[in-house]
Amino acid sequence: MEAGHATGSAPARREGLAGLAKLDFGADGTPLQAKPALGAALGLSGPFFVKRDDRAGMGMGGNKTRKLQYVVADALEGGADVLITCGAVQSNHACLTAVCGAAAGLEVHLVLAGDPSQMRGGNLVVDGLAAARLHFVAGDAWDVLVAESERLAEDLRREGRRPYVIPVGASTPLGAVGYADAYLELLGQLDAAGVTADWLVTACGSGGTQAGLVAGRALAGRGPRVLGVDVSKGGGELRDVVAALAAGSLELLGSDAAVPPDDVVLVDGAGPGYGQVFPESREMVHSALRAAGLLLDPVYTSKAMAALPGLVGAGRIAAGDTVVFLHTGGLAALFAPAYEEALR
Ligand SMILES: Cc1ncc(COP(=O)(O)O)c(C=O)c1O
């Protein structure tokens, strides 16, 4: 049995960065694996590694686990008895909130955008197994989801409950601290292996993951530059969100380190749009599996990795650079029939 995972008991509490409350959802210490054949397939001649946050220890893994280690701890500290969050029908974040919330003994409500009949399977299966209460809303406008989450929280408060609303993607300064953690953990792994990496590449959606990594780099004052691949056509607005979240995390951590503006590097990798598979991202799923036995997801990691050959071709990343790819998970979506079809 792994430390901190006593069967049948609530997750262990431990002290996180700067003494912040943190739960142990088994997200710390994910493997760092060399994947040379995959690196070569991407056009890299230098060392290529994958940081396996798809193996983070809850549900089917994924990046939200590290954020939720801090955010759910904060909910418990504040006396919450219900978690509410929102996202797309196949939201990995919503699903991991359902799983982590259940493990922490909390009721979980998910406000999901879209039509469940068009997007069956995948994360929805896990949401159901975790006994999350699902509320579907038409359309996919974020402000509608946020308003519905707030309305639900109000209803629950009237019933005497103590809801805690987690914003989209748990991309708050506190959630992002989970990725400052991850950056420092990665540096330790690279140091132990005697590797100096040039780049850390991640998919970027709501911005918290990249923000935390950038904050971690500012804290360490060294380490690979962080390159985010925007999978949602967030553009300049997303860059501002990442910068603001990184600054917010550093403030929360009591650090006066600053994030230089050119440390927030974002490139477009969305293809036709958020959640839509395109030829290069489809081919990436197949070629990562062939080259390295690595499963990528259809919405985030396949798009982020598919951006690499172009970045190398354009000289943005030198072919001989040492690159770490952060595998942020999302694998349950592979088992949603609509994505299974699109990837075939
Ligand atoms: C699998 C996966 N990868 C990457 C991301 C992007 O992370 P963030 O929302 O923190 O930018 C998400 C969530 O949006 C995700 O579910």
Side-chain angles (χ1 to χ4, degrees):
M1 192 192 302
E2 289 172 53
H5 291 270
T7 44
S9 65
R13 292 180 188 225
R14 54 164 67 161
E15 205 170 276
L17 280 184
L20 290 169
K22 178 179 176 182
L23 292 174
D24 181 5
F25 287 145
D28 299 324
T30 57
L32 177 67
Q33 298 175 331
K35 296 282 185 190
L38 180 53
L42 295 166
L44 289 162
S45 53
F48 181 69
F49 297 87
V50 180
K51 173 72 170 155
R52 301 294 303 270
D53 274 16
D54 56 318
R55 298 262 182 95
M58 290 299 237
M60 290 187 70
N63 61 337
K64 299 306 182 291
T65 320
R66 287 188 190 266
K67 297 178 176 185
L68 291 168
Q69 291 192 138
Y70 283 95
V71 172
V72 179
D74 187 50
L76 291 180
E77 297 268 300
D81 61 355
V82 190
L83 298 178
I84 301 173
T85 198
C86 59
V89 172
Q90 283 297 330
S91 167
N92 302 307
H93 158 67
C95 184
L96 275 167
T97 301
V99 172
C100 293
L106 296 168
E107 183 177 302
V108 179
H109 289 250
L110 305 178
V111 178
L112 301 176
D115 182 348
S117 68
Q118 301 296 311
M119 260 297 175
R120 290 178 298 114
N123 283 301
L124 278 181
V125 175
V126 184
D127 296 343
L129 290 171
R133 319 270 172 104
L134 308 184
H135 310 261
F136 293 101
V137 296
D140 58 4
W142 291 124
D143 48 351
V144 176
L145 290 183
V146 171
E148 182 57 20
S149 303
E150 288 302 335
R151 196 197 57 72
L152 193 59
E154 230 6 86
D155 285 354
L156 288 164
R157 271 184 218 110
R158 268 196 292 275
E159 291 169 19
R161 308 294 303 277
R162 297 182 303 280
Y164 183 101
V165 179
I166 304 175
V168 174
S171 281
T172 60
L174 181 63
V177 167
Y179 270 90
D181 253 1
Y183 191 90
L184 300 176
E185 175 185 306
L186 172 66
L187 269 187
Q189 288 173 315
L190 291 169
D191 288 351
V195 173
T196 304
D198 299 292
W199 293 101
L200 171 58
V201 176
T202 183
C204 184
S206 58
T209 301
Q210 184 172 358
L213 296 172
V214 165
R217 184 168 191 263
L219 285 174
R222 67 186 180 96
R225 295 197 67 193
V226 181
L227 187 146
V229 179
D230 172 3
V231 300
S232 60
K233 293 207 181 292
E237 218 173 287
L238 183 59
R239 186 186 315 274
D240 293 346
V241 167
V242 172
L245 285 171
S249 288
L250 287 168
E251 197 183 327
L252 206 56
L253 293 169
S255 164
D256 52 15
V259 175
D262 65 359
D263 250 27
V264 181
V265 182
L266 260 174
V267 298
D268 175 37
Y274 176 75
Q276 294 180 42
V277 173
F278 57 103
E280 291 80 4
S281 68
R282 180 190 305 113
E283 175 50 28
M284 197 66 248
V285 171
H286 292 265
S287 61
L289 199 51
R290 273 198 311 270
L294 190 71
L295 275 176
L296 299 175
D297 82 289
V299 180
Y300 295 93
T301 53
S302 56
K303 293 188 176 186
M305 199 176 275
L308 278 170
L311 290 165
V312 175
R316 189 85 184 259
I317 291 178
D321 279 353
T322 298
V323 176
V324 179
F325 182 84
L326 176 65
H327 194 321
T328 46
L331 298 178
L334 287 173
F335 308 104
Y339 282 125
E340 187 195 348
E341 180 83 10
L343 291 170
R344 209 174 280 145

